Amino acid sequence: MAALGSPLRTLRGLLRELRHISGRAYRDTAAYRHVLAAFRAHRVTSEKLCRAQQELHFQAATYLCLLRSVRQHQALHREYHGRGERSPEEVAGLVGFRLPRQPGGKG
C-alpha cells in the first residue's frame, strides 16, 4: 500500500476539489459539511492508533484520487474531443508542430 501522507493534506485536497466542482459557494454544500464532520469525528485524540481513523483516511484519499481524475479527464475531453473537421494548421498545433511557410507568401 502506498503512503497516504497527512490526513490534513488529504482534507485540504478534498476541499480544493469541492471548490473546483461547486465554485465559491462550496462551503454551503452538504458534501463540505459531511467531509468536515467525518474528519472531526475520526481524528486521533490520544497517542494510540485508531483503525477507524486510518480507514477513513484511506477512503478519503481514494475519493480524492477519483475527484482529481474525473476533473483531469473532463479537461482532456474538452481539449481533445472531436469538433468536426479541423484545418491542417489546427491539427499540427494540436500535436505541437508548425507547418512550414512557403516562400512568396503562399503559406
Side-chain angles (χ1 to χ4, degrees):
M1 182 169 95
L4 292 175
S6 163
L8 181 61
R9 185 175 180 176
T10 304
L11 175 64
R12 286 180 179 165
L14 278 171
L15 296 180
R16 185 178 309 115
E17 291 301 321
L18 286 175
R19 187 171 55 242
H20 281 294
I21 293 169
S22 303
R24 290 194 175 261
Y26 73 102
R27 289 184 176 173
D28 298 331
T29 62
Y32 175 82
R33 289 189 298 272
H34 175 73
V35 167
L36 280 184
F39 267 86
R40 286 180 182 150
H42 289 87
R43 71 179 149 198
V44 177
T45 56
S46 66
E47 292 297 321
K48 65 181 181 176
L49 291 176
C50 178
R51 182 176 177 186
Q53 194 266 345
Q54 289 180 344
E55 287 179 6
L56 173 80
H57 187 201
F58 179 75
Q59 288 178 351
T62 304
Y63 188 58
L64 174 60
C65 180
L66 171 73
L67 289 176
R68 281 184 182 156
S69 299
V70 167
R71 182 173 50 87
Q72 291 171 351
H73 168 73
Q74 288 173 345
L76 288 171
H77 184 66
R78 276 192 306 271
E79 184 173 346
Y80 293 108
H81 182 66
R83 291 176 287 210
E85 191 68 27
R86 296 179 188 219
S87 69
E89 293 83 13
E90 190 177 1
V91 173
L94 196 62
V95 295
F97 295 122
R98 286 185 300 171
L99 293 178
R101 296 189 129 311
Q102 293 181 358
K106 290 186 177 181

